[in-house]
Amino acid sequence: MVLKSVVNQRILNEVIGAVCKPGEWAVLVVDHHSMRIISACCRMQDIMDKGVTLVEAIDKRRQPLRAFDAIYLLSPVEKSVEALIADFKDLGSPQYKAAHVFFIETLPENLFAKLAKSETAKVMKNMKEISIAFLPCEQLAFSLDSESALKTFFSPSRVQGRSHKLERMAEQIATLCVTLGEYPSIRHRSDNARTLELAEMVHTRLTAHKAEDMSLGKRPGQQKSQLIILDRGFDPISPLLHELTLQAMAYDLLGLKDDIFK
């Protein structure tokens, strides 16, 4: 199963396609993380062909477009929810005609309550959690997009934030499995307490997703998959090796970032 293609189809069909009918147009509003996901797997032409006339960043100043509905694809974080609420703070002069809100993972209860009590709730036509909290880097590779993970897990000064980071990673891994339609058996290193803790958190979240969709992992002819959780101590050599590939050379010589050359 090609990961980028799966995420591409979910965004085009379950998000944009669920709102834009033939002949209808809407504005797509994103935050930093959801924009990285879209950039990794969708072409602008694909998005426009589905009925999106403009893509805007929620944290930037924007011109009101009250003739169009807005599709919000956001991370469930306070900054993005506050910006969404601000767009419809004054219903006499809203940012857009109406809001269709999609969160890339589960929205915390406190933010859901804040959104429900706001004026935005009056113009929201729908709200859905679509479970795409990871970054599809390659056709068969993904990233949790966490540059601070190494320090969090191994620095003595980061002990307090470790449990929260593990919970965040567990939810991201669970959304990956849901996106691929898998309900895997989970394996981990028996001599590492952190991989055990992460494995238990992933199992808890997958069980919750399974309760919402009993068909998860039960496609016709589908075999039970295996999710193997390892830490870098299992293979400390790989980061020290240099790949002799065209892609590695391009990153070395051209200064690419996210496969983009500027």
Side-chain angles (χ1 to χ4, degrees):
M1 188 176 292
V2 180
L3 185 57
K4 277 194 171 184
S5 298
V6 172
V7 177
N8 171 281
Q9 289 304 303
R10 290 202 65 194
I11 291 174
L12 294 181
N13 296 328
E14 296 182 26
V15 178
I16 301 173
V19 175
C20 295
K21 306 305 178 185
E24 297 180 357
W25 294 89
V27 178
L28 178 62
V29 184
V30 297
D31 58 16
H32 174 72
H33 189 64
S34 60
M35 186 68 231
R36 283 173 59 79
I37 295 173
I38 290 174
S39 298
C41 60
C42 298
R43 298 182 308 160
M44 183 57 68
Q45 187 60 51
D46 295 334
I47 294 172
M48 294 181 68
D49 288 345
K50 279 290 185 177
V52 171
T53 185
L54 183 66
V55 178
E56 297 191 310
I58 197 168
D59 59 344
K60 300 292 179 62
R61 191 171 183 178
R62 292 156 283 141
Q63 291 293 326
L65 296 170
R66 301 185 184 106
F68 296 97
D69 283 10
I71 304 170
Y72 287 85
L73 182 59
L74 305 174
S75 307
V77 297
E78 187 165 7
K79 182 179 179 182
S80 295
V81 173
E82 290 284 2
L84 168 60
I85 292 173
D87 280 353
F88 299 94
K89 191 173 184 179
D90 181 5
L91 294 184
S93 56
Q95 188 73 25
Y96 306 103
K97 182 180 178 181
H100 305 263
V101 184
F102 297 85
F103 289 104
I104 61 174
E105 57 183 298
T106 303
L107 181 67
E109 290 186 9
N110 63 314
L111 294 180
F112 177 82
K114 180 181 289 189
L115 187 57
K117 293 177 182 178
S118 69
E119 294 295 299
T120 304
K122 298 177 181 179
V123 294
M124 283 176 54
K125 292 188 174 180
N126 53 62
M127 188 184 79
K128 185 178 180 181
E129 298 162 347
I130 61 169
S131 298
I132 307 178
F134 57 91
L135 188 64
C137 301
E138 303 283 350
Q139 298 289 27
L140 296 174
F142 71 95
S143 168
L144 301 184
D145 202 23
S146 177
E147 296 180 357
S148 64
L150 186 64
K151 290 183 180 179
T152 300
F153 294 133
F154 295 102
S155 173
S157 63
R158 299 287 188 94
V159 174
Q160 290 184 341
R162 189 172 296 157
S163 179
H164 176 73
K165 177 65 74 173
L166 279 172
E167 290 176 357
R168 165 71 178 152
M169 292 176 64
E171 179 61 23
Q172 289 178 285
I173 295 171
T175 66
L176 169 70
C177 296
V178 171
T179 296
L180 294 175
E182 300 287 351
Y183 186 69
S185 298
I186 302 175
R187 305 283 184 261
H188 62 89
R189 288 186 69 184
S190 60
D191 58 348
N192 189 299
R194 292 194 187 117
T195 57
L196 169 60
E197 186 179 3
L198 179 59
E200 290 175 341
M201 289 180 176
V202 173
H203 176 70
T204 298
R205 281 154 179 77
L206 278 174
T207 300
H209 284 289
K210 179 74 170 179
E212 295 178 0
D213 181 9
M214 295 303 296
S215 66
L216 183 64
K218 290 186 177 180
R219 293 193 305 269
Q222 183 177 9
Q223 296 182 345
K224 188 77 169 180
S225 58
Q226 304 287 321
L227 173 61
I228 303 174
I229 299 177
L230 303 171
D231 68 300
R232 178 46 64 194
F234 179 80
D235 177 24
I237 302 300
S238 293
L240 304 178
L241 301 177
H242 196 290
E243 294 185 24
L244 300 177
T245 63
L246 178 63
Q247 185 183 38
M249 182 181 71
Y251 266 85
D252 285 346
L253 302 180
L254 300 179
L256 301 181
K257 184 174 177 59
D258 298 329
D259 289 339
I260 298 175
F261 172 70
K262 295 183 179 180

